[in-house]
Amino acid sequence: MKSKLEKLKGTCIGIAGCGGLGSNCAMALARAGVGTLVIADFDTVTLENLNRQYYFLDQVGQKKVAALQENIRKVNPAIDVQIHDVRLGPDEVVNIFKNCRLIIEAFDRADMKLMIIETITERFPDKFIIAGSGLAGYGENNALRTRRLGNLFICGDETSEVSETLPPLAPRVGVVAALQANQALEIIMDDLEPSVGDDVWDE
Amino acid sequence: MNKGKSMKINLNNKEVSMAGESFSVRELLNLMHFTFPMIVVKINGRLVKKEDYERVFIGDGDNVEAIHLISGG
């Protein structure tokens, strides 16, 4: 087990978005002992975030990346947390995450999820990406799962969309964030091989 | 698509028989009732970008994976 933990220490993981998925996933990876975390988000902590995101009352108004870095350091100051206060597009994704072994997709919007999946698959076909899809509401424990499509893993129930009547709540958001973190650990500790030829269709 | 011809594809690990010889990704998604706007589509392991749904075609024997991307995070 010791050598596997050493692997974690030597690994860099990128986290795209520091909301419900990203903040909880980052804390799980930090506690597990991942050595380097590259976190990116443009947003600020609000009161409404506190029902599910890993921030505290006294952090309302702070930039999420700065607040999350502070929270990770409170758990383990030895972790290298690199922060990027930026709105991510394809170019930023490439530049910011180029040194990461795998990337956690933790955006809110579905079009952003597709953007990062397309960008990583096209530009870094050997990197793994672990996305979240479907986490709103409560209950339905066993609908939350992980599916693998080559170097892409998708965690969630793939159906429940956030809406006025179906808000994101801490337990299900936390479960999906933990599924993403757990999948990352398996990739690193068990040295999962990237799928060959797993790139973008180009006729 | 030609009448009388048929094809079998593997869609999300299930064999699906279809009337016709080939379908664009867009046609297949419509036929299979993928309703949310954002979908990850892989054919034989290769990702089809959203902008290519009309020009990439699926034929007999292809392995198709299609998963909805749902807002919320």
Side-chain angles (χ1 to χ4, degrees):
Chain A
M1 196 64 191
K2 186 166 181 292
S3 65
K4 292 198 173 191
L5 292 174
E6 285 297 317
K7 282 186 199 168
L8 286 187
K9 216 170 151 186
T11 298
C12 173
I13 295 182
I15 299 179
C18 298
L21 290 178
S23 64
N24 286 292
C25 189
M27 292 303 291
L29 292 171
R31 289 184 197 275
V34 173
T36 305
L37 293 171
V38 178
I39 62 176
D41 199 304
F42 66 91
D43 214 353
T44 302
V45 179
T46 68
L47 207 52
E48 292 73 29
N49 295 153
L50 299 187
N51 79 333
R52 65 194 187 282
Q53 304 188 15
Y54 211 117
Y55 302 105
F56 300 92
L57 263 180
D58 63 358
Q59 292 179 317
V60 169
Q62 290 183 21
K63 282 289 185 175
K64 285 187 178 178
V65 286
L68 187 55
Q69 183 185 47
E70 178 188 348
N71 295 341
I72 292 169
R73 284 183 174 162
K74 279 183 182 172
V75 173
N76 184 349
I79 295 171
D80 179 12
V81 185
Q82 299 169 14
I83 66 175
H84 296 271
D85 174 16
V86 65
R87 202 179 276 270
L88 292 170
D91 292 342
E92 291 77 18
V93 165
V94 169
N95 285 329
I96 288 172
F97 299 123
K98 59 178 181 279
N99 295 323
C100 298
R101 165 103 180 270
L102 62 91
I103 293 106
I104 306 286
E105 177 285 311
F107 290 128
D108 185 28
R109 280 167 36 194
D111 61 323
M112 294 289 286
K113 293 174 186 285
L114 191 60
M115 179 277 291
I116 194 168
I117 289 169
E118 288 186 349
T119 303
I120 297 292
T121 307
E122 188 164 39
R123 299 295 300 275
F124 304 115
D126 290 341
K127 290 191 196 297
F128 290 97
I129 177 159
I130 307 172
S133 175
L135 48 72
Y138 57 87
E140 302 260 14
N141 276 358
N142 294 342
L144 298 170
R145 57 170 171 180
T146 301
R147 281 213 268 180
R148 180 174 185 178
L149 284 70
N151 296 334
L152 168 67
F153 293 81
I154 297 183
C155 304
D157 65 19
E158 301 167 18
T159 53
S160 56
E161 190 170 33
V162 169
S163 68
E164 293 264 318
T165 53
L166 207 62
L169 297 167
R172 278 185 124 238
V173 173
V175 169
V176 174
L179 287 174
Q180 291 179 286
N182 196 38
Q183 187 60 61
L185 295 195
E186 186 183 15
I187 289 168
I188 297 158
M189 293 202 190
D190 291 350
D191 286 316
L192 295 197
E193 289 288 331
S195 299
V196 178
D198 185 18
D199 54 5
V200 170
W201 198 275
D202 183 22
E203 284 169 305
Chain B
M1 67 190 92
N2 291 337
K3 280 183 181 157
K5 302 268 185 172
S6 71
M7 65 183 215
K8 279 182 184 163
I9 63 167
N10 197 306
L11 176 63
N12 293 337
N13 297 320
K14 281 181 195 145
E15 194 177 83
V16 180
S17 297
M18 308 177 73
E21 261 184 302
S22 76
F23 295 86
S24 71
V25 171
R26 174 72 66 202
E27 288 170 332
L28 182 82
L29 293 175
N30 290 341
L31 278 171
M32 294 295 149
H33 304 293
F34 280 81
T35 47
F36 288 95
M38 297 297 154
I39 303 157
V40 176
V41 181
K42 288 196 173 187
I43 301 175
N44 303 329
R46 303 180 79 196
L47 182 75
V48 183
K49 293 173 84 169
K50 192 177 167 67
E51 67 202 40
D52 293 332
Y53 286 177
E54 277 78 22
R55 69 182 193 93
V56 174
F57 284 81
I58 295 160
D60 192 44
D62 279 341
N63 184 40
V64 182
E65 294 160 297
I67 295 185
H68 278 128
L69 293 175
I70 308 292
S71 284

